[in-house]
Amino acid sequence: MKKNKLFKCPIRTSQFLFFDLGLFISIGTFPVMGQQKPNILFIAIDDLRPELGCYGAPQIKSPNIDKLASEGVVFKRAYCNVPVSGASRSSLLTGILPTKTRFVDYQAHAEDDVPNAKTLPQVFKEAGYTTLSNGKVFHYLHDTEDRSWSEKPWSPSVSYSAIFDSTHPQTVGKGLFYDASDVDEELYADSFTARKTISDLKRLKQDGKPFFLACGFVRPHLPFYAPKKYWDLYEHDSIKIATNRFRPENAPSQLSGGVEYSTYMFGKFDPKTEEFHKMMKHGYFACTSFADKLAGDVLKELETLGLAENTIVVIWGDHGWHLGEHEFWGKHNTMHNALQVPLIIKVPRVSAGKQTQALVETVDIFPTLCDLAKVKVPNSVMGKSFGKIIKNPKQDFRKAVYSRYIVADAIVSKDFNYSIYENGQEMLYNRKIDPEENKNVVADSKYKRVLKKMRLELKENQRQASNY
């Protein structure tokens, strides 16, 4: 591999080969070759784990995302590189992997951590696209704003934590963890984001230039505030809570869950009770359905305007989320529930209604969108384009994916999830026979060869991450 002098990052000279020789020759019906450039609609949904109908969760009401899934490719094994919002988004939008000192936590700023790296919207802007940001895209609204966006990034003035029910008054700090007010959904911050995005689509249609439009919804992030009608989609007493509300056997002492949920008021609920678990899951489900409805509004407008036939659509969750498993709520560790993300990509007239088990990671999205739009990938990007998977979802892609969070580095392969902590403690889960990750088998001698392989794979990924 060659080294780029500015970024000290390996240039994958074969990265673009499939693009030139195969992909667009095979899908010549997609209006890119010799015609107009494809638009990009990128929808980010905060704290959304793959708890959707199209991911085999029939209890979830997600008809709009499921419809998109029937028109595109569902990535069943997609993973974030950092299980926390700020760092995960900075990693995706620069295509650069995290390290112990870069993209560490929610406070990550791309402008500070990788000031010389081009961002995903920036390369599209430089390629002649109109680039717009609505809602939560970068974790911090103004991060890289001048070089990334054609216009100032937009965020609703309404608080994401606004409470509309007078029986749940806002206190100093954070309020109650849930709210199911019977009020107009148009009052909620994410609804403002959807309306702004729809308005922009109309404007972009009139303008006629190719666009990269990013739309970020905050729900189902805590607090679980959604209109009552979305809570009413679910029968509270029928909600099943996690069956593994215990610490994994032989878990390292440094394994912990997120504490963000505990910064909200619990009201009448005790966090260790079944009723609290039910209420948390009910709130998460309601907010997921709310986000699905808003995403559906945007997608419907895309079709109404006749833009869908030339627009690549991406729906992505920025990290996974524990829903009471092991008494964990949220992200903030390297277990599978915190790392796996939903990823659905629709390229018009290509692989509609397909699913793939190929392992992909967040940093791969940047070069993939560039390849699909015939935009040059910056040398700083560490991900690999999985455009060939969109063409043929049955192909393999990566042997393993890499992630890290503060004190732990992790590798996820087809059957195993391995982590090593800064104190030297390790976790290894055989997800083929233990998909809920209830027993750490790192000390089991029969996994000696697996352990050696995972350690070597992790070191290679750490080496690559350090090449910036």
Side-chain angles (χ1 to χ4, degrees):
M1 289 186 179
K2 298 177 182 178
K3 293 277 187 175
N4 177 275
K5 293 181 180 179
L6 176 59
F7 296 105
K8 300 181 180 178
C9 179
I11 301 173
R12 295 180 178 85
T13 53
S14 63
Q15 181 172 327
F16 310 105
L17 185 59
F18 80 89
F19 170 81
D20 289 330
L21 298 182
L23 183 60
F24 282 99
I25 292 175
S26 300
I27 59 175
T29 56
F30 182 59
V32 176
M33 293 288 288
Q35 299 180 43
Q36 63 193 87
K37 297 177 181 179
N39 306 309
I40 308 291
L41 174 60
F42 183 89
I43 301 176
I45 304 180
D46 207 355
D47 279 12
L48 181 67
R49 81 180 202 171
E51 195 86 4
L52 300 162
C54 56
Y55 277 88
Q59 74 276 16
I60 298 296
K61 308 298 192 295
S62 53
N64 297 292
I65 294 176
D66 295 345
K67 179 178 182 294
L68 182 73
S70 71
E71 300 167 347
V73 178
V74 177
F75 289 78
K76 305 281 283 198
R77 299 293 304 273
Y79 296 85
C80 66
N81 293 108
V82 199
V84 66
S85 184
S88 179
R89 290 161 185 266
S90 292
S91 184
L92 182 151
L93 291 165
T94 60
I96 294 176
L97 293 168
T99 66
K100 290 182 179 180
T101 58
R102 178 178 68 231
F103 303 154
V104 174
D105 56 25
Y106 74 93
Q107 296 181 344
H109 286 71
E111 194 73 80
D112 296 333
D113 287 3
V114 286
N116 295 320
K118 290 188 177 183
T119 70
L120 176 59
Q122 179 182 355
V123 298
F124 276 87
K125 180 181 177 183
E126 292 176 352
Y129 279 65
T130 299
T131 59
L132 301 178
S133 171
N134 293 327
K136 187 175 179 181
V137 180
F138 275 102
H139 187 78
Y140 293 97
L141 183 67
H142 302 296
D143 195 6
T144 74
E145 64 175 349
D146 291 337
R147 54 194 176 95
S148 292
W149 308 109
S150 301
E151 301 174 6
K152 291 287 185 183
W154 178 93
S155 182
S157 57
V158 175
S159 169
Y160 288 111
S161 297
I163 296 177
F164 304 103
D165 186 343
S166 61
T167 64
H168 294 158
Q170 180 73 55
T171 62
V172 175
K174 295 183 177 180
L176 198 65
F177 72 92
Y178 75 96
D179 184 76
S181 299
D182 190 10
V183 296
D184 189 342
E185 70 179 49
E186 298 297 308
L187 298 173
Y188 290 76
D190 279 336
S191 292
F192 281 83
T193 298
R195 292 199 298 274
K196 174 64 163 59
T197 303
I198 288 170
S199 175
D200 283 340
L201 283 171
K202 294 176 180 177
R203 180 162 58 99
L204 291 165
K205 166 73 172 181
Q206 292 297 318
D207 182 60
K209 289 178 58 179
F211 60 81
F212 181 104
L213 176 57
C215 169
F217 297 118
V218 170
R219 295 294 172 262
H221 192 289
L222 277 162
F224 298 139
Y225 296 171
K228 182 177 180 295
K229 64 182 179 180
Y230 296 102
W231 290 77
D232 290 346
L233 292 173
Y234 301 91
E235 173 58 47
H236 182 79
D237 292 338
S238 299
I239 293 174
K240 296 180 179 179
I241 66 173
T243 58
N244 58 339
R245 292 174 54 197
F246 50 82
R247 189 170 178 81
E249 185 178 343
N250 303 320
S253 60
Q254 286 193 297
L255 172 64
S256 64
V259 297
E260 183 179 12
Y261 78 100
S262 65
T263 64
Y264 294 89
M265 296 167 56
F266 295 144
K268 66 181 181 180
F269 295 93
D270 179 344
K272 297 299 182 182
T273 63
E274 289 189 11
E275 187 53 34
F276 177 78
H277 276 247
K278 278 184 177 289
M279 201 63 181
M280 286 284 281
K281 292 194 78 169
H282 195 167
Y284 187 89
F285 292 175
C287 288
T288 295
S289 291
F290 185 26
D292 173 81
K293 189 271 182 183
L294 296 175
D297 288 346
V298 173
L299 294 171
K300 182 179 179 180
E301 187 65 27
L302 189 77
E303 293 183 358
T304 299
L305 293 170
L307 292 169
E309 62 188 20
N310 190 45
T311 299
I312 298 167
V313 179
V314 179
I315 286 185
W316 169 76
D318 55 356
H319 44 67
W321 222 82
H322 292 281
L323 279 172
E325 299 90 355
H326 308 298
E327 288 291 336
F328 294 157
W329 297 103
K331 49 272 187 183
H332 301 140
N333 62 40
T334 55
M335 297 193 75
H336 196 263
N337 280 329
L339 301 182
Q340 188 186 16
V341 300
L343 176 63
I344 303 166
I345 299 181
K346 175 188 174 183
V347 179
R349 295 181 292 282
V350 182
S351 298
K354 302 293 184 180
Q355 296 184 349
T356 177
Q357 295 290 334
L359 294 168
V360 301
E361 56 190 31
T362 285
V363 293
D364 297 329
I365 296 173
F366 188 147
T368 301
L369 292 180
C370 288
D371 276 356
L372 292 174
K374 301 186 70 175
V375 173
K376 184 178 180 181
V377 182
N379 292 332
S380 55
V381 170
M382 294 178 175
K384 301 189 300 181
S385 172
F386 51 73
K388 65 179 182 179
I389 303 301
I390 296 174
K391 176 187 174 186
N392 180 5
K394 293 183 178 181
Q395 297 184 65
D396 289 329
F397 187 61
R398 287 186 177 273
K399 294 185 297 182
V401 294
Y402 170 65
S403 186
R404 74 171 326 276
Y405 182 66
I406 307 218
V407 296
D409 288 83
I411 282 288
V412 180
S413 67
K414 179 181 178 181
D415 295 326
F416 294 92
N417 182 11
Y418 168 77
S419 298
I420 184 168
Y421 288 80
E422 61 181 13
N423 66 0
Q425 293 180 323
E426 296 172 290
M427 286 195 305
L428 181 68
Y429 297 103
N430 183 340
R431 300 201 69 262
K432 190 172 184 178
I433 63 175
D434 179 25
E436 294 185 333
E437 299 187 334
N438 291 329
K439 183 177 181 179
N440 176 20
V441 296
V442 73
D444 189 331
S445 60
K446 72 180 181 182
Y447 292 103
K448 186 176 181 179
R449 293 180 66 181
V450 172
L451 191 57
K452 181 179 179 181
K453 183 177 180 180
M454 299 295 276
R455 286 168 176 163
L456 289 173
E457 188 69 36
L458 177 58
K459 286 182 179 180
E460 171 58 25
N461 278 266
Q462 289 173 319
R463 182 202 64 75
Q464 182 188 1
S466 69
N467 280 329
Y468 176 87

